Amino acid sequence: MHESEATPVLIVDDEEHLRITAGQTLELAGYRPQTPSNAEAALAALSADYPGVLVSDIRMPGMDGLALLREVRRRDPDLPVILITGHGDISTAVEAMREGAWDFLEKPFAGERLTDVVRRAVEKRRLSLENRRLKAELDAQRAAPGPRIIGRTPAMQQLSAMLQRVSQVEADVLLFGETGVGKDLVARALHERSARSGHPFVAINCGAMPESIIESELFGHEKGAFTGAVERRIGKFEYANGGSVFLDEIESMPLALQVRLLRVLQERSIERLGSNQSVALDIRIIAATKTDLKLAAERGEFREDLYYRLNVVTVPIPPLRERREDLPLLFQHFAVVAANRSGLEAPPLDAAGVSVLMAHDWPGNVRELRNLAERFVLLGATYDYRLERLVEGGDSGSGEMTLPQQVELFEKSLISQSLANHGGRVNEVCEHLGLPRKTCYDKLKKYDLRAEDYRLRHAGD
C-alpha cells in the first residue's frame, strides 16, 4: 500500500529520540508519521480538513503545547489534539482537557497506549470530516438547482444516468414506484436537469384532489362557467407553460378526465371551462403511479390509449429494500438535514444501528427512513440512540431474507461505507474494520467492490 494513502499523524516534540520512537511505533501500526520539532512547523503542516490528528509535547521552547492546542482549536475545533505530559504535570493536563484536548499521555508511555489513543482519535476525526462533508453537500444542494438523487448502488447509478438522458429530450415521462420511494423528488430532479428548469414546476396529487374541482384546477375556467365562477381562473396546465406538470397518483384520475388529458398530450393545447378558445401549451407531463397501469387498463380502471401515450418513457424507481447498501448513506443524509433544521447534533450511526437498518423491510421506503432519521435526531437521546427502540413496533422486519443474507448485506454495506469514508484507502479500511489485509481484499473481491471507484468519488466530492 502506498505511503501517501496512510492516515497522517503529526508528532511534535523538541526531543528527537521521542519523535523517532513514536514515529516508528505509529508507522508500524499503519499510520504516516510527520515529526516537526516545534509548534510553528506543526501549524505550517496543518492543511484545511487535515485527515489525521496531532500529538504534541506540552513543554517545548517557544510556543508550548497549550498554546499550540489553543491555536489549533481556533483554526479547526474538530481536530483531535493529544498532549504529552511529564511526571507531575497532571494539573496542566487537566487544564488542557478543559481547553479541548482529546486526551493526554504521561511519560513514559507504552507504544500500545499511543496507538490506542491515536486510533480512537483518528476515528473521531474521520466521523467529524464525514459530517462536515455532508453538511457541505447540503449547502451546495441548497445553492444548486434541483434535488439530489442519493445512492451508490448500481440501481441508483442506473436511475441517475437514465434521468440525465431523459432530461435532455422532450418526452413525457411515467415514473413507476411504490409509495414513499421519492417519485416527487425524482420528478423535480428531472425538471431541474432539463432546459425547462427556469420555468414553473407544478405538482398535482390526483388522488388528493376532490373530483368536483380537479377539472377546473387543471384546465381553468372562464367567469360564469359554472355557479361560483365569479372570475377567470388560470388552470395548472396553463400556469405551467414552458415548464413541467407532475401528475402524482395518476391512476386515481377520473376516467372522464383522462380523455381530456389524452387530448392535451396529443394536441398540446387546452380549453378553459366555459371557453371555446384553445390555449397553446409548451409543457412536459411527468406522471407517477404506484400501480401497474397496463393491468388497470385491462380491468377497465384506466384508459388504455392514455396508458400507451404515457408509456413512451417509463422510469422505474427501486424500493429501498432492493438497495439496502444505500441505507447508511441515506440515513446519515436525513439525520444531518434534521440536525441542521433543529439545531441539534446528528450523532454517527454505529454498527448496531447499521444492522437495524439492514434488517428492516422498509414498507414505507425512503419516507419511512427519513422519518426514522428525524426521530433519531429529535428523540434519540431519550433512547440512548439505540435505533432498534426507535423503529416503529420494535420489529426488525427481516422479511424473506435469511440470516446469512442479512449478514452478507450488513458486511458489504460496512465495507462499502468504510471505503467511501476513507476515500478508497484500503489500509485505512483494514484498520477501521479490524481486518487483515488479505481478508479485506478477499471480501472486496467477493462483493465486487473496487477501491479505485471510491477514490474517484472521494476526489469528486
Side-chain angles (χ1 to χ4, degrees), residues 182-228:
K183 295 187 288 292
D184 54 341
L185 183 139
V186 171
R188 288 183 182 274
L190 187 59
H191 171 76
E192 294 295 348
R193 294 181 186 186
S194 73
R196 298 180 177 273
S197 59
H199 299 279
F201 174 86
V202 178
I204 301 159
N205 190 322
C206 300
M209 193 175 294
E211 187 173 342
S212 58
I213 68 168
I214 189 171
E215 189 172 14
S216 174
E217 285 291 317
L218 292 180
F219 296 95
H221 60 255
E222 296 288 350
K223 179 180 179 180
F226 50 84
T227 302

Side-chain angles (χ1 to χ4, degrees), residues 56 63 79 95 131 151 156 169 203 250 275 287 321 335 340 379 406 424 439 442:
S56 173
M63 179 184 283
L79 179 65
E95 180 187 351
N131 201 37
M156 293 307 292
V169 298
I250 195 170
S275 172
R321 64 181 177 276
N340 284 350
L379 306 174
Q406 292 182 54
T439 302
D442 288 343

Side-chain angles (χ1 to χ4, degrees), residues 264-283:
V264 171
L265 294 175
Q266 292 172 338
E267 300 178 5
R268 298 293 163 174
S269 66
I270 56 118
E271 290 180 5
R272 304 188 198 103
L273 296 179
S275 172
N276 294 319
Q277 183 178 356
S278 292
V279 178
L281 296 178
D282 174 22
I283 59 173

